[in-house]
Short mmCIF file of all heavy atoms in Angstrom, two decimals:
data_model
loop_
_atom_site.label_atom_id
_atom_site.label_comp_id
_atom_site.label_asym_id
_atom_site.label_seq_id
_atom_site.Cartn_x
_atom_site.Cartn_y
_atom_site.Cartn_z
N PHE C 79 -17.47 17.48 -0.66
CA PHE C 79 -17.83 16.72 0.54
C PHE C 79 -18.58 17.53 1.58
O PHE C 79 -18.71 17.09 2.73
CB PHE C 79 -16.60 16.08 1.20
CG PHE C 79 -15.95 15.01 0.37
CD1 PHE C 79 -14.75 14.43 0.77
CD2 PHE C 79 -16.53 14.55 -0.80
CE1 PHE C 79 -14.15 13.43 0.02
CE2 PHE C 79 -15.94 13.55 -1.56
CZ PHE C 79 -14.74 13.00 -1.14
N ASP D 30 -10.28 17.54 10.65
CA ASP D 30 -11.48 16.85 10.19
C ASP D 30 -11.14 15.71 9.24
O ASP D 30 -11.98 14.85 8.96
CB ASP D 30 -12.41 17.86 9.50
CG ASP D 30 -13.77 17.26 9.13
OD1 ASP D 30 -14.30 16.46 9.93
OD2 ASP D 30 -14.30 17.59 8.05
N GLY D 34 -12.85 12.33 9.80
CA GLY D 34 -13.97 12.91 9.04
C GLY D 34 -13.64 13.02 7.57
O GLY D 34 -12.88 12.21 7.03
N ASP D 35 -14.20 14.03 6.91
CA ASP D 35 -14.04 14.15 5.47
C ASP D 35 -13.28 15.40 5.06
O ASP D 35 -13.22 15.73 3.88
CB ASP D 35 -15.41 14.11 4.78
CG ASP D 35 -16.33 15.20 5.30
OD1 ASP D 35 -15.97 15.85 6.30
OD2 ASP D 35 -17.41 15.38 4.70
N GLY D 36 -12.71 16.12 6.05
CA GLY D 36 -11.75 17.16 5.71
C GLY D 36 -12.30 18.50 5.31
O GLY D 36 -11.53 19.39 4.92
N ASP D 37 -13.62 18.69 5.36
CA ASP D 37 -14.19 19.93 4.83
C ASP D 37 -14.49 20.97 5.91
O ASP D 37 -14.90 22.09 5.60
CB ASP D 37 -15.46 19.64 4.04
CG ASP D 37 -16.52 18.99 4.91
OD1 ASP D 37 -16.17 18.43 5.98
OD2 ASP D 37 -17.71 19.03 4.54
N LEU D 38 -14.29 20.64 7.17
CA LEU D 38 -14.71 21.53 8.26
C LEU D 38 -14.05 22.90 8.15
O LEU D 38 -14.72 23.94 8.30
CB LEU D 38 -14.36 20.89 9.60
CG LEU D 38 -14.67 21.71 10.86
CD1 LEU D 38 -16.16 21.98 10.98
CD2 LEU D 38 -14.16 21.00 12.11
N SER D 41 -15.61 24.87 5.24
CA SER D 41 -16.99 25.27 5.50
C SER D 41 -17.05 26.45 6.47
O SER D 41 -17.72 27.46 6.20
CB SER D 41 -17.79 24.09 6.06
OG SER D 41 -17.95 23.10 5.07
N GLY D 78 -21.98 21.83 4.89
CA GLY D 78 -21.72 20.72 5.80
C GLY D 78 -22.62 20.73 7.02
O GLY D 78 -23.59 21.48 7.08
N THR D 79 -22.30 19.90 7.97
CA THR D 79 -23.05 19.85 9.21
C THR D 79 -22.90 21.16 9.97
O THR D 79 -23.80 21.59 10.69
CB THR D 79 -22.52 18.68 10.08
OG1 THR D 79 -22.71 17.46 9.36
CG2 THR D 79 -23.25 18.61 11.41
N SER D 80 -21.74 21.79 9.78
CA SER D 80 -21.44 22.99 10.56
C SER D 80 -22.44 24.11 10.33
O SER D 80 -22.77 24.84 11.28
CB SER D 80 -20.03 23.48 10.23
OG SER D 80 -19.10 22.50 10.62
N ARG D 178 -20.25 12.40 11.09
CA ARG D 178 -19.54 11.51 10.17
C ARG D 178 -18.53 10.62 10.89
O ARG D 178 -18.30 9.48 10.48
CB ARG D 178 -18.83 12.35 9.11
CG ARG D 178 -18.48 11.59 7.87
CD ARG D 178 -17.89 12.51 6.83
NE ARG D 178 -18.77 13.60 6.48
CZ ARG D 178 -19.77 13.49 5.61
NH1 ARG D 178 -20.00 12.36 5.00
NH2 ARG D 178 -20.54 14.53 5.36
MG1 LIG E 406 -16.47 17.34 7.68
#
Side-chain angles (χ1 to χ4, degrees):
Chain C
F79 293 173
Chain D
D30 187 38
D35 57 351
D37 61 340
L38 178 62
S41 292
T79 299
S80 297
R178 200 175 302 279

